[in-house]
Each structure stands twice: as structure tokens, then as C-alpha cells.
Amino acid sequence: MSMRKRTVVLISGRGSNMTALIAAASNPDYPAEIVGVISDRANAAGLGIAAARGIATKVISRADYSSKEAHDGAIDAALVLFGAEIVALAGYMRILGARFVEKWLGRMINIHPALLPAFKGLDTHARAIRAGIRIHGCTVHFVTLDMDDGPIIAQAAVPVMVGDNEDMLAARVLKAEHRLYPLALGLVAEGKARMEGGRTVLAHFADDADNSTSVVMAPDPLREETDLEHLARITP
Ligand code: GRF
């Protein structure tokens, strides 16, 4: 039997992060396989992309259920049918209820387009530009009861360039998201990033008591890609 972790991706729209996860998992050496995609919106563009890549898809619309709990329950049932071991939220635009979150605690991850804990919620790029920050980015974290609040697994930093508008910044962050999410899912699938006692424990640092729960990861490929000299010039 395959040791790859069975992963289901939850989407609501475009699905570009989902596509990045599917692409990573198309390598048989990748520690997770994408066994299904669930969308709460029938018109999510990501559904067609997943189907074209031979991934099973399922639409579970909120409108078809009498309560939020019943909707969550239907998603949970679908996850069980898929044999899901990991749930990856990728632009899933609903807040999942406490019961659902508790059931999947430590096995459900999300990508957020900001360096948490800054800019939780929506419109992160516009808010980042308004705040005048010079370093922005994205975060993959375990999902806990509070929105965008769970233990951080990995982060990628992205410069805010002079003259950036929201779309330009969003596009730059999205490129980083597409590299960060496969990296982070891989860490979780391999058991190298685990949620323990409300913190992320990274296996690589597990025998270092001081660092084991507080490391912020900047994956090597991203570090190489960032032009640090340029970054230094625009970050006085
Ligand atoms: C991404 O920016 C992700 O970080 C956020 O929602 C957006 C989804 O985009 N949670 P996509 O559907 O993955 O293209």
C-alpha cells in the first residue's frame, strides 16, 4: 500500500493553489497524493482544472443544507469517503465550524496571503499597501478554531515594490504561494511538521529545545529567488 498521505483540497474559486498541489503530487516521490477536490461553489473554476487532471471532484453547496453544521457534516462525510488523511484549504471561502475543525485538528492546513499574524482576513494586499509595509508574503498554517490563527508551518517573504498596486502585489505573492504550499503540505505529509500542544513542531529541529516550536521557515528555493540586494535597497 502506498505511504503517500491521502489529501483532499477544499476550494471555492480559481484553484491556482490547488493546481500547484496537484502538480507537486504528480511526482510519485511527493509524500502526499491529491485524492479529491471539494468545492462549496458549483462554478468554481478549479473544479474543471482538477477534473482535467483526473482528480475526483465534488460540489457541496451551502444552499443544499439547512444549517452550517449540516453543511460541514456533508463535507466531513465526503472526506471520509475519500479516505482523507489531510485536508488542504486552498481559497476555501467559508469558516468551518468548531466540531469540524476539532475533528481535523492537526490534519487540516490553510494558505493565507499575508505574513501571519499580520493581516488576517480578507483584502490582505490592499491593506498591506495602505500600511506601507516593505515585506509581505504568505503563510501556511494548521487550521484552528480562530480564523487565520493556527500554528504556522511555513512562510515566504515577498517584497512590496515602490509603485505596486494591489494586483501587482497579489500576483507576486501568489507566485510564492504556489511554491510554499507544496513545500508545507510535503512537510506535514512526511510528518516533519506536526501540531503539538497548540504549536508547530518541525522535525528537523526536534532535538533543539529552543528552536523546536518557534522556527519560521523560509524555504531555500524562495530564498534563492529573492534578490536580497534589491530587497535591501528598497527596505531602508
Ligand atoms: C489565495 O491567495 C490564498 O492564499 C487565499 O485565497 C486565494 C485563493 O486563490 N486563501 P486560488 O483559488 O488558490 O487561486
Side-chain angles (χ1 to χ4, degrees), residues 11 13-18 90-93 110-113 125 174 177-178:
I11 63 167
R14 179 175 60 182
S16 70
N17 278 289
M18 173 211 75
Y92 184 69
M93 297 305 285
N110 178 47
I111 187 154
H112 182 72
H125 307 306
L174 195 64
E177 291 184 42
H178 295 163

Side-chain angles (χ1 to χ4, degrees), residues 75-204:
I75 295 171
D76 181 60
L79 290 172
V80 171
L81 277 181
F82 276 126
E85 298 170 282
I86 297 176
V87 181
L89 307 184
Y92 184 69
M93 297 305 285
R94 281 178 191 282
I95 296 180
L96 292 153
R99 199 179 162 150
F100 185 98
V101 170
E102 265 154 25
K103 172 166 176 190
W104 291 96
L105 199 63
R107 298 182 291 158
M108 179 158 60
I109 62 179
N110 178 47
I111 187 154
H112 182 72
L115 289 175
L116 291 173
F119 306 115
K120 296 176 181 181
L122 298 173
D123 298 324
T124 55
H125 307 306
R127 287 156 60 207
I129 290 173
R130 274 204 301 277
I133 59 167
R134 289 280 160 258
I135 308 288
H136 189 38
C138 50
T139 303
V140 178
H141 64 96
F142 287 107
V143 176
T144 54
L145 291 178
D146 292 323
M147 190 185 67
D148 300 332
D149 195 56
I152 290 165
I153 298 163
Q155 293 187 303
V158 172
V160 182
M161 303 295 195
V162 174
D164 265 355
N165 63 32
E166 188 182 345
D167 291 344
M168 292 155 80
L169 183 56
R172 193 174 309 117
V173 172
L174 195 64
K175 266 180 82 174
E177 291 184 42
H178 295 163
R179 304 181 69 165
L180 188 72
Y181 210 176
L183 178 136
L185 173 61
L187 288 174
V188 174
E190 268 188 302
K192 288 188 175 164
R194 304 188 312 276
M195 189 175 149
E196 250 180 54
R199 305 293 300 260
T200 295
V201 180
L202 294 164
H204 185 62

